[in-house]
Amino acid sequence: MVTQVHKNIYRIRLTLPQNPLKNLNSYFLRGDESDLLIDTGFRRPECRKDLLDGLAMLGSFRDRRRVYVTHMHGDHIGQADLVCGDDRPIYLSATDLGYYKRFLSGEMDGERLPLYVRQGYPEEILKKTYSTNQAITMTMDHADERLCAVEEGTLLRVGTYELRVISVPGHTPGNTMLWMEKEGIMFTGDHVLFDITPNITSWPWMDDALGAYIESLKKVKDYPVRLALPGHRESGEYKSRIEEILAHHERRLADTLRIIRETPYLSAYEIASRMKWKIRASSWEEFPLQQRWFATGECLSHLDYLKKRGSIRSVEENGVVRYCV
Ligand SMILES: [Zn+2]
């Protein structure tokens, strides 16, 4: 499904089967000598069909296409190599490019899996979750030679449009947005979403993802955005949505602290099971595996935040980390 959102800017909507995100927004900008495609969907037939159909409908040719990936998650980078012209760049932040290479080499999971086990995650469930994780199984399988590192302030030109890279670490360590100042258009990627709250998880080699995310929200809150174009689902009012997300994490942090105060020495996995989640499941045991994984990661990022600010501390007992005030 293709929708024009501005002059020479189109949204191609890709379905994400069996995924609570429901869809991904890929944006196509028509230029003079080259076009730009922002985000590309999971590497799976349903996404491929939606993307290729959309591009064909727009009369877009592959050899004219550059690709911009807002961050390294599979639903954004997954098909980048398939739709980018042969000698054209695939832009990604230098930080996420580094993480993506460590992900592809297995180094990231080598670090992350033991970390989750130490946080009380049952090893068997973890393995099962991993083998069915779309982000792991449905993404690009190599560090394509067209990948090109960008950073804060990098300027991209498409026709008469200028897009400036804004670094907003948090959702991923090198997450970015693209800002069109003259038009007041912000491609928010997954930094600001309107119908769902962006998932903030704990990352290897990053000590406080939630703290970084909150700082990144404050950093971009006052941009005079007239049109926000998010990575998933619908658009909305930019600034008030950022305020809502900030308030959401304040409540989450207070809730996490309350659980630890009421029941000290729980593991992160146990704390996650006691937090409130917007999901149709009557108990933690009934949570779909992927959602349990996201919930524990989200909980961990809140624990890291509280720990870094001295509100809680952790002790390790028999290889499991436990938290108390
Ligand atoms: Zn994402």
Side-chain angles (χ1 to χ4, degrees), residues 1-2 11-26 39-54 74-76 79 134 138 231-233:
M1 197 173 64
V2 176
R11 183 188 71 198
I12 307 172
R13 183 152 273 180
L14 279 57
T15 44
L16 301 177
Q18 298 111 37
N19 193 303
L21 293 169
K22 291 198 174 107
N23 59 51
L24 174 107
N25 297 320
S26 182
D39 291 337
T40 65
F42 277 126
R43 201 179 191 86
R44 62 182 300 164
E46 299 86 344
C47 289
R48 192 163 313 157
K49 181 173 188 317
D50 289 348
L51 185 57
L52 295 181
D53 285 356
D75 49 335
H76 297 258
Q79 310 192 90
Q134 295 188 353
M138 295 175 181
H232 302 278
R233 306 220 202 155

Side-chain angles (χ1 to χ4, degrees), residues 21 70-76 171-172 175 189-190 193 199 232:
L21 293 169
T70 55
H71 62 289
M72 60 159 283
H73 279 151
D75 49 335
H76 297 258
H171 178 67
T172 62
N175 193 30
D190 285 3
L193 296 173
N199 175 253
H232 302 278

Side-chain angles (χ1 to χ4, degrees), residues 106-122:
E107 191 189 347
M108 190 153 103
D109 294 336
E111 195 78 22
R112 195 154 56 168
L113 293 181
L115 186 145
Y116 271 73
V117 172
R118 276 182 63 221
Q119 299 295 338
Y121 215 103

Side-chain angles (χ1 to χ4, degrees), residues 34 67 120 145 172 283 292:
S34 73
V67 172
E145 66 284 355
T172 62
S283 70
R292 221 185 288 187

Side-chain angles (χ1 to χ4, degrees), residues 73-122:
H73 279 151
D75 49 335
H76 297 258
I77 200 171
Q79 310 192 90
D81 59 323
L82 304 174
V83 289
C84 185
D86 284 340
D87 300 315
R88 305 281 184 181
I90 301 170
Y91 305 108
L92 177 66
S93 78
T95 304
D96 267 22
L97 181 54
Y99 267 83
Y100 200 62
K101 286 180 176 166
R102 290 169 113 168
F103 161 74
L104 290 169
S105 71
E107 191 189 347
M108 190 153 103
D109 294 336
E111 195 78 22
R112 195 154 56 168
L113 293 181
L115 186 145
Y116 271 73
V117 172
R118 276 182 63 221
Q119 299 295 338
Y121 215 103

Side-chain angles (χ1 to χ4, degrees), residues 184-233:
I185 295 176
M186 185 75 90
F187 294 91
T188 66
D190 285 3
H191 186 53
V192 181
L193 296 173
F194 294 87
D195 320 77
I196 35 178
T197 317
N199 175 253
I200 307 302
T201 191
S202 156
W203 289 82
W205 315 295
M206 188 187 196
D207 68 343
D208 179 22
L210 180 60
Y213 180 64
I214 288 173
E215 276 314 300
S216 295
L217 284 175
K218 290 178 180 166
K219 171 182 169 183
V220 298
K221 185 163 72 83
D222 293 322
Y223 276 63
V225 173
R226 289 199 287 273
L227 176 63
L229 297 171
H232 302 278
R233 306 220 202 155

